[in-house]
Amino acid sequence: MNDVDLNELFSCCPSLSRITDAAGQAILSRSAIVDMPAGSNVFRQGDHCPHYLLVLEGSVRVFARAENGREIVLYHIHAGGSCVLTTSCLMGGGSYPAEGITETDVRALAISTEDFNRGLAESPALRSFIFESYGERMRDLILLVEEVAFSRIDVRLARHLLALAHHSNVIDVTHQSLALELGTAREVVSRQLKEFERRGWINLRRGQVTLLKQSSMKQLSETE
């Protein structure tokens, strides 16, 4: 862990610069910078939460695992984001119902449980920051539940592939990782990808998907 310089912290995460009250800034100054290499466990299912984490650099994947081994990605935490499960555990005193793993090297701000509670009570700006982040992530979770419960897998897969495409038609991704993101079985994803390929929309290679007809996939993604 490293000491915190507020100027460097605000430069790295501008949204924190809104915390201008003395109580909030004192808490930020007492917090610690934590560095974690890619593939590190940030938390495991059943763990108790020792601190509030805010990602400053890198990305964390948060996922749930069923008893049969099936997994679903709940969300990704990127720079400037926090974990809704961490916030919930700290406020409710419970344990983690899911797991978090760093997808890249991660630098994060760690605020102790004591200072987290003090911030909620004494710093309006820090309290607002925490609850705004909590609300945004809760909305994402509700959207995920709606998609899993009500959207067809072909529509969800088309949306996800388009989101991954960005400025390139070539996506480096495995069938298994797509299944984890969509909360379904790898066989289901493979079957649907083969159907997209049969239609001439994509080309499949090992660990890679090339989008050939984004317009057709976009039309499918907008059917619901």
Side-chain angles (χ1 to χ4, degrees), residues 59-205:
S59 176
V60 175
R61 175 170 59 95
V62 179
F63 62 97
R65 181 184 289 119
E67 291 184 1
N68 62 6
R70 282 270 298 277
E71 297 178 3
I72 181 172
V73 174
L74 301 177
Y75 50 84
H76 300 266
I77 312 171
H78 301 290
S82 63
C83 176
V84 64
L85 296 181
T86 296
T87 307
S88 177
C89 289
L90 286 172
M91 291 192 297
S95 58
Y96 280 107
E99 300 182 40
I101 293 180
T102 56
E103 298 180 294
T104 63
D105 291 347
V106 164
R107 171 161 286 193
L109 181 75
I111 298 176
S112 69
T113 300
E114 181 181 359
D115 270 339
F116 173 83
N117 291 326
R118 183 177 289 114
L120 292 181
E122 300 177 6
S123 171
L126 182 55
R127 181 171 61 246
S128 176
F129 178 89
I130 290 170
F131 282 130
E132 283 180 15
S133 180
Y134 182 82
E136 289 173 7
R137 189 60 65 195
M138 281 299 297
R139 286 192 291 271
D140 291 342
L141 281 176
I142 294 299
L143 289 175
L144 173 64
V145 171
E146 290 179 348
E147 282 203 351
V148 171
F150 304 120
S151 294
R152 300 191 331 243
I153 189 61
D154 58 340
V155 174
R156 296 178 60 217
L157 180 57
R159 287 174 182 163
H160 190 63
L161 290 173
L162 289 170
L164 291 175
H166 299 300
H167 302 297
S168 173
N169 290 334
V170 180
I171 307 168
D172 293 320
V173 67
T174 66
H175 295 198
Q176 180 62 31
S177 63
L178 288 170
L180 293 179
E181 291 286 342
L182 298 174
T184 188
R186 182 184 59 80
E187 294 77 13
V188 173
V189 168
S190 296
R191 185 163 56 247
Q192 191 58 60
L193 287 171
K194 286 292 185 182
E195 174 60 22
F196 286 169
E197 188 174 47
R198 186 191 67 78
R199 297 180 192 179
W201 293 2
I202 64 173
N203 180 60
L204 295 174
R205 298 183 65 183

